[in-house]
């Protein structure tokens, strides 16, 4: 799709690079890793034109162009657990449902967090907003397909994977700083910085997950999808989890910084 065919609101302000603001929100996130609103603030403060640049790359692919033309809004589909529960056990949908219900999550919950920021900065009903929503709404599916958990190390490693897929200084900053802070308080043999490097490498090597036909993907066997999209196993992350377990540490209790 040619850029001239895209609907991007001409009144959108030029993205600003605000590192001091990002550091302030990063401190808040470190103090409370469940405060996911801070993630959106950090990404906005640091990412500059990365959203626009990633969107241009997205629509230049047949998959991305098809996704934009269909303009499927994913949260209602992903939160309709009735139809997903009828899928076979080995499918992406079954794994997604197990993950979301096990963690007590909904796709709408992430929407609500992002809207807190959007209501303050203004709303733009254009193709770029649709793409931004698409990257947000596939986040938990990224968890399922990559094997990264919702513990602090898993989230930071997944952000490294996401940066590999869709380069963003904001996403990269959260991932790198978060894992660097964890490194100070975790067993050295866990080699948690390897998780950052592995996530970034695996994300870059994999096909663009957000560009896929998500509804069709949910119906396919998860092992087949991982092979088709070249999503590698997170070996370093799983190794770190084993070391935490051997040391009597629960992964979900690990914080970005010492209490």
């Amino acid at each position: 799709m040619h850029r001239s065919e895209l609907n991007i609101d001409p009144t959108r302000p030029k993205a600003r690079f605000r590192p001091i603001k990002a550091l302030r929100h990063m401190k808040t996130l470190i103090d409370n890793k469940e405060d996911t609103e801070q993630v959106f603030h950090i990404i906005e403060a640091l990412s500059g034109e990365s959203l626009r640049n990633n969107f241009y790359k997205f629509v230049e692919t047949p998959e991305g162009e098809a996704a934009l033309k269909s303009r499927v809004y994913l949260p209602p589909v992903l939160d309709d657990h009735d139809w997903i529960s009828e899928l076979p056990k080995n499918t992406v949908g079954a794994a997604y449902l197990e993950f979301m219900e096990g963690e007590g999550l909904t796709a709408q919950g992430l929407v609500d967090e992002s809207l807190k920021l959007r209501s303050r900065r203004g709303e733009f009903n254009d193709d770029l907003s649709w793409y931004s929503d698409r990257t947000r709404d596939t986040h938990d599916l990224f968890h399922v397909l990559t094997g990264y958990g919702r513990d602090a190390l898993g989230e930071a490693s997944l952000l490294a994977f996401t940066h590999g897929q869709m380069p963003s200084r904001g996403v990269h900053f959260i991932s790198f700083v978060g894992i660097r802070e964890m490194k100070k308080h975790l067993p050295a043999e866990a080699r948690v910085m390897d998780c950052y490097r592995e996530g970034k490498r695996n994300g870059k090597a994999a096909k663009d997950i957000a560009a896929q036909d998500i509804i069709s993907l949910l119906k396919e066997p998860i092992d087949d999808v991982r092979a088709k999209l070249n999503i590698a196993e997170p070996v370093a992350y799983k190794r770190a989890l084993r070391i935490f377990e051997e040391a009597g540490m629960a992964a979900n209790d690990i914080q970005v910084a010492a209490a």
Side-chain angles (χ1 to χ4, degrees), residues 90-227:
N90 67 334
T91 59
V92 173
Y96 178 80
L97 189 62
E98 181 180 4
F99 176 82
M100 297 298 281
E101 292 187 344
E103 295 288 343
L105 300 173
T106 63
Q108 185 61 40
L110 204 54
V111 174
D112 294 340
E113 288 297 321
S114 71
L115 289 180
K116 293 177 185 178
L117 174 60
R118 189 173 293 180
S119 65
R120 293 193 287 272
R121 72 182 181 190
E123 182 68 70
F124 299 96
N125 185 25
D126 61 7
D127 291 344
L128 201 55
S129 288
W130 174 86
Y131 175 69
S132 178
D133 290 346
R134 181 84 169 187
T135 62
R136 174 199 65 201
D137 300 334
T138 51
H139 173 77
D140 289 316
L141 187 62
F142 273 48
H143 272 293
V144 172
L145 290 174
T146 62
Y148 290 116
R150 288 192 70 239
D151 56 279
L153 181 59
E155 288 285 8
S157 301
L158 181 62
L159 287 177
F161 180 98
T162 303
H163 173 65
Q165 292 252 299
M166 301 168 281
S168 162
R169 282 181 299 195
V171 172
H172 177 258
F173 176 80
I174 299 168
S175 173
F176 179 79
V177 173
I179 294 181
R180 186 184 65 181
E181 289 298 307
M182 279 181 259
K183 179 184 176 184
K184 299 175 183 178
H185 314 290
L186 294 173
E189 58 270 26
R191 299 179 57 165
V192 294
M193 289 306 298
D194 285 355
C195 301
Y196 158 77
R197 287 185 283 268
E198 178 182 66
K200 188 176 174 181
R201 181 174 63 249
N202 288 355
K204 187 175 182 179
K207 293 182 180 179
D208 188 351
I209 296 173
Q212 306 305 310
D213 181 338
I214 300 301
I215 297 175
S216 294
L217 217 62
L218 292 170
K219 302 173 184 178
E220 298 179 37
I222 190 167
D223 290 339
D224 291 353
V225 170
R226 285 169 173 159

